[in-house]
Amino acid sequence: MSTVYDCSRPDSRAAGLTAAKGALKAGRLVVVPTDTVYGIAADAFDSDAVTSLLRAKGRGRDMPVPVLVGSWNTIDGLVNTVRPQARELIRAFWPGGLSLVVHQAPSLAWDLGDTRGTVMLRMPLHPVVLELLREVGPLAVSSANVSGRPPAATVDEARTQLGGSASVYLDGGPAEHAVASTIVDLTADRPRVLREGAVAVEDIAEVLGEDPAQLRAGGE
């Protein structure tokens, strides 16, 4: 049985965050609002919960789960080496709709799927999920939809698709932009845009001093 909490009301928001923390610590799934689309979340360090997340979405391990963080500094404990390009993009666009694919720290005891030593990180610009992240730590979060169906822009859309797979639904209102994040791969010598979304490639290119066409082509 899942419960929806209206986060526009202070009492319901507080109750929802408490319920979400309890659910995540118990290995259950929680649906959260973000600045892009709604996400389904699990404790990033609970491999069974991450497996449940993939199962709820109907996805395999070949599509690993991204990780949301609650601060700029969290990345230092998750990444093998933070390159200057990553720092520049974080300063410019976090919190916000930019996801970075980087080499994860080899000591991390998590299993997000077949990541091949990488992890996709983002700090979202939404007060509800930021508060949750700052209290519970990094969360494995994927869009709150069944694979192949449209991402959820409202909590009702998420609940229609995921139902009882999630124990707690935090209703933060309609997604402000309802556009997925832009993804930049920083694991090779040259940065490469894997997906265009909430942050314009031209803006990323300006920060990095790159040609937008080169970013789209991966420097080829």
Side-chain angles (χ1 to χ4, degrees):
M1 182 69 181
S2 56
T3 305
V4 179
Y5 294 88
D6 179 0
C7 293
S8 68
R9 294 173 27 228
D11 56 341
S12 181
R13 171 175 166 155
L17 287 168
T18 297
K21 286 185 286 183
L24 291 164
K25 289 178 181 177
R28 297 194 297 272
L29 306 179
V30 172
V31 166
V32 296
T34 80
D35 49 333
T36 54
V37 295
Y38 272 76
I40 182 168
D43 181 342
F45 294 96
D46 186 333
S47 58
D48 289 337
V50 174
T51 297
S52 296
L53 189 160
L54 289 170
R55 187 184 307 119
K57 284 180 61 72
R59 282 168 58 163
R61 289 177 52 81
D62 59 320
M63 299 179 73
V65 186
V67 172
L68 295 187
V69 297
S71 74
W72 286 9
N73 298 330
T74 306
I75 191 173
D76 292 308
L78 304 178
V79 175
N80 196 16
T81 301
V82 183
R83 295 165 59 178
Q85 290 171 322
R87 296 278 187 211
E88 291 167 7
L89 291 173
I90 286 169
R91 281 194 294 267
F93 300 112
W94 280 15
L98 180 68
S99 297
L100 302 177
V101 179
V102 292
H103 290 291
Q104 70 175 48
S107 59
L108 287 175
W110 63 17
D111 182 2
L112 302 168
D114 296 332
T115 63
R116 299 177 184 175
T118 67
V119 62
M120 187 161 76
L121 299 173
R122 186 168 86 87
M123 181 182 175
L125 181 58
H126 194 288
V128 173
V129 72
L130 275 177
E131 184 173 345
L132 185 62
L133 287 163
R134 287 166 179 163
E135 294 195 25
V136 303
L139 293 175
V141 181
S142 185
S143 55
N145 61 291
V146 174
S147 188
R149 296 180 62 184
T154 67
V155 77
D156 289 337
E157 290 176 10
R159 200 175 188 198
T160 297
Q161 294 196 49
L162 298 171
S165 296
S167 300
V168 174
Y169 285 78
L170 299 180
D171 183 0
E176 185 175 352
H177 303 296
V179 176
S181 65
T182 298
I183 302 174
V184 175
D185 184 353
L186 296 176
T187 61
D189 291 338
R190 296 291 300 274
R192 179 165 63 108
V193 173
L194 301 181
R195 179 178 73 193
E196 297 187 39
V199 176
V201 175
E202 288 73 17
D203 292 339
I204 294 167
E206 183 177 354
V207 169
L208 295 179
E210 296 273 355
D211 180 349
Q214 291 290 307
L215 286 178
R216 290 186 173 98
E220 295 175 1

